[in-house]
Amino acid sequence: MALFSFYNMRKPRQFEHKPIYWDPRREALEERVRKAKCEMGILPDRQEGYKPSVRGTFVEGTRHLRKSRAKGGDARSRTYGNMRLLLVLALLAMLFWYLFLK
């Protein structure tokens, strides 16, 4: 039975694609042909280090996350806020038990 933990949050599983068939010789040949065509001017050079900037686009698309970011809230502050709430609830439960049930 798994217990819920606030301290050891598990990371989401990563996507891992395992190809059924992969021919490294064919891939190397295609890369050499592409480089040769680029040197001769048949194909335009493509940018090797290009990575699309998608970080933060989901946050900008939702109203409540946009408000949270504007206030300066992040995952860590929400976690500490939740921990503080649980601590206060535990203290109130202990006080209730001490005053009324004992």
Side-chain angles (χ1 to χ4, degrees):
M1 179 177 189
L3 298 175
F4 187 77
S5 174
F6 288 105
Y7 299 108
N8 297 326
M9 300 298 288
R10 292 180 62 191
K11 293 183 180 179
R13 286 184 281 166
Q14 299 292 320
F15 176 76
E16 184 179 336
H17 174 70
K18 296 178 183 171
I20 296 172
Y21 176 74
W22 175 60
D23 187 7
R25 290 179 22 212
R26 180 177 176 202
E27 190 173 292
L29 175 66
E30 288 174 355
E31 183 65 23
R32 284 194 308 249
V33 169
R34 187 192 62 79
K35 284 182 181 180
K37 285 183 179 181
C38 287
E39 287 176 1
M40 291 189 304
I42 297 172
L43 292 176
D45 290 335
R46 64 178 177 167
Q47 298 173 351
E48 291 295 327
Y50 174 73
K51 291 184 181 178
S53 176
V54 295
R55 179 174 290 198
T57 56
F58 180 75
V59 172
E60 295 302 322
T62 57
R63 189 178 337 147
H64 66 283
L65 290 176
R66 211 173 328 147
K67 282 183 188 178
S68 176
R69 179 181 271 184
K71 287 192 298 187
D74 59 344
R76 179 173 280 175
S77 65
R78 284 191 302 271
T79 302
Y80 288 135
N82 290 340
M83 292 294 290
R84 208 172 321 136
L85 176 66
L86 288 175
L87 180 65
V88 168
L89 288 175
L91 289 173
L92 286 174
M94 287 175 21
L95 182 66
F96 177 78
W97 176 80
Y98 183 73
L99 293 176
F100 295 110
L101 300 176
K102 189 173 180 184

